[in-house]
Amino acid sequence: MKLLKKSREKIDLIDEKILELISERTSLARNIIKAKMVLDMDIWDPEREKQIEEKTRQIARENRIDEDKLIKIMRILTELNKMEQEQILRRK
Ligand SMILES: O=C(O)C(=O)C[C@]1(C(=O)O)C=C[C@@H](O)C=C1
């Protein structure tokens, strides 16, 4: 079925872009932890995570995607970033 093959090819391309962006997002942990060490800030910033959650909910509503599902994905990304920061801190 040509439609299925074409759709899967598009999903493969999108998945590649998503993973590249996740890698880029996570690599920013290096800069963030450096700044937090200078500013004597905790890795966990609840205010910032609340801001990210609000933006996520807005984008979910605009795109008719389940808000809670999208929040779960964003929480994984922030957890990934925090883990990366903790690992960098331990190596210092
Ligand atoms: O912006 C920060 O302070 C970060 O550490 C990044 C990040 C994120 O992944 O977006 C991760 C942990 C914080 O609690 C808030 C946000």
Side-chain angles (χ1 to χ4, degrees):
M1 171 71 166
K2 196 165 177 161
L3 183 61
L4 176 60
K5 185 172 182 294
K6 281 279 177 210
S7 301
R8 285 180 172 176
E9 283 168 358
K10 283 185 183 173
I11 284 179
D12 286 345
L13 290 172
I14 291 167
D15 287 354
E16 211 171 295
K17 287 179 187 169
I18 288 171
L19 293 170
E20 278 167 19
L21 287 171
I22 290 172
S23 303
E24 186 180 348
R25 187 188 198 282
T26 308
S27 70
L28 287 168
R30 280 191 282 278
N31 295 345
I32 288 172
I33 193 62
K34 273 185 203 159
K36 286 187 172 179
M37 286 170 67
V38 171
L39 299 168
D40 192 27
M41 284 174 67
D42 291 335
I43 287 176
W44 181 48
D45 184 335
E47 265 315 297
R48 173 64 178 155
E49 292 200 18
K50 189 170 178 302
Q51 187 186 35
I52 292 168
E53 182 160 325
E54 283 161 6
K55 186 178 69 180
T56 302
R57 289 192 184 282
Q58 181 198 337
I59 292 171
R61 283 193 296 273
E62 288 166 359
N63 292 278
R64 293 192 181 85
I65 299 171
D66 183 294
E67 288 185 37
D68 293 332
K69 295 270 189 313
L70 217 47
I71 288 290
K72 281 191 175 146
I73 292 171
M74 285 312 296
R75 283 188 180 147
I76 290 171
L77 297 183
T78 53
E79 277 311 306
L80 205 53
N81 201 293
K82 285 183 277 191
M83 283 164 54
E84 183 70 16
Q85 291 183 53
E86 279 156 11
Q87 279 179 6
I88 293 165
L89 214 49
R90 274 200 293 275
R91 285 200 293 264
K92 290 268 178 209

